[in-house]
Amino acid sequence: MKFKGFKPLIKTKRLELKPMPATFEMAHTLYELIDRNRKHFKYLPLANVKAVEEEFAFLQNSGRQWKMGDSAAYGMYLRGTDTFIGMVNIHAISWASARGEFGYWMDSKYTGQGLMTEAVVALETYFFKMGFNRLAILANPKNKASVAIARRLGYVKEGTERARNYNQYMKEYEDMTIFSKLRSEWKK
């Protein structure tokens, strides 16, 4: 499989998924969202972000990875608005093996509405239609919401890597449960 570019806009019933611009304005928006959601993001590395400049560097790196085909990071916006509510991406992409891993997070005030599930389904559909064979979700087993998305969408639990990452926010090593779905298991 060969990289030919990512779709710049994916629309769902309630969302628009599009790349986030590498601007200080967007970096400030990201930082504010992270800062007010630190406890909600306790299982994610972004809970440790301490400055707007870190988010600006993240946006610049995301843009480079997008152009190279290494990662497709989509900002989540409420459809028809400029309201930014989170991010969903496919990273750790291997074009040779047609596989990638999901990453996602969202402002806590929008949880419980099925919006993240909607975003994951949209990106899953796009990548499987593109020809990907395998998509994975890695989640801390304590992160019940993330695990629930994987289960709800029919991802198969492959196992748990013990003490895979050190979580600076929680000040502990954390396990990661691996869920995957193959293109042959995907319901079109």
Side-chain angles (χ1 to χ4, degrees):
M1 208 175 156
K2 191 173 181 180
F3 176 59
K4 297 176 184 168
F6 295 121
K7 191 174 183 179
L9 177 64
I10 298 172
K11 291 184 179 184
T12 72
K13 183 179 178 183
R14 300 177 291 168
L15 298 169
E16 292 179 358
L17 308 178
K18 53 191 173 185
M20 298 166 288
T23 64
F24 278 107
E25 181 182 358
M26 188 68 216
H28 189 71
T29 298
L30 280 170
Y31 182 78
E32 285 181 345
L33 189 149
I34 291 165
D35 198 43
R36 70 176 175 266
N37 283 278
R38 287 194 193 277
K39 286 184 183 175
H40 178 65
F41 294 152
K42 65 186 173 187
Y43 299 118
L44 305 172
L46 61 109
N48 297 307
V49 171
K50 297 186 179 19
V52 172
E53 292 77 15
E54 289 178 68
E55 287 309 299
F56 183 66
F58 164 77
L59 290 168
Q60 289 179 311
N61 190 46
S62 291
R64 282 190 294 275
Q65 289 180 335
W66 177 284
K67 288 176 187 167
M68 293 171 45
D70 295 336
S71 176
Y74 287 88
M76 296 171 55
Y77 298 82
L78 295 178
R79 190 165 178 160
T81 74
D82 290 329
T83 305
F84 174 79
I85 65 167
M87 189 189 84
V88 60
N89 74 6
I90 299 286
H91 59 277
I93 291 174
S94 169
W95 291 97
S97 298
R99 66 174 164 77
E101 297 175 5
F102 271 100
Y104 46 81
W105 51 265
M106 185 171 62
D107 191 331
S108 61
K109 70 181 180 180
Y110 295 99
T111 60
Q113 301 174 43
L115 291 166
M116 187 55 76
T117 299
E118 190 173 316
V120 170
V121 166
L123 214 51
E124 170 189 279
T125 299
Y126 171 59
F127 274 81
F128 280 139
K129 282 184 175 179
M130 192 190 314
F132 271 56
N133 183 57
R134 180 188 199 297
L135 294 174
I137 295 173
L138 278 66
N140 182 320
K142 294 177 186 176
N143 187 342
K144 304 296 184 204
S146 189
V147 169
I149 288 172
R151 288 190 172 137
R152 184 178 314 116
L153 296 179
Y155 281 69
V156 175
K157 181 180 175 181
E158 294 183 347
T160 300
E161 291 184 82
R162 298 176 306 139
R164 181 178 198 261
N165 299 322
Y166 184 74
N167 183 319
Q168 293 177 356
Y169 184 81
M170 300 290 286
K171 302 206 181 332
E172 65 185 19
Y173 285 95
E174 60 185 1
D175 297 344
M176 279 292 165
T177 301
I178 303 165
F179 298 90
S180 70
K181 185 184 281 188
L182 303 179
R183 187 172 177 198
S184 61
E185 300 164 336
W186 171 59
K187 295 174 184 145
K188 299 174 185 167

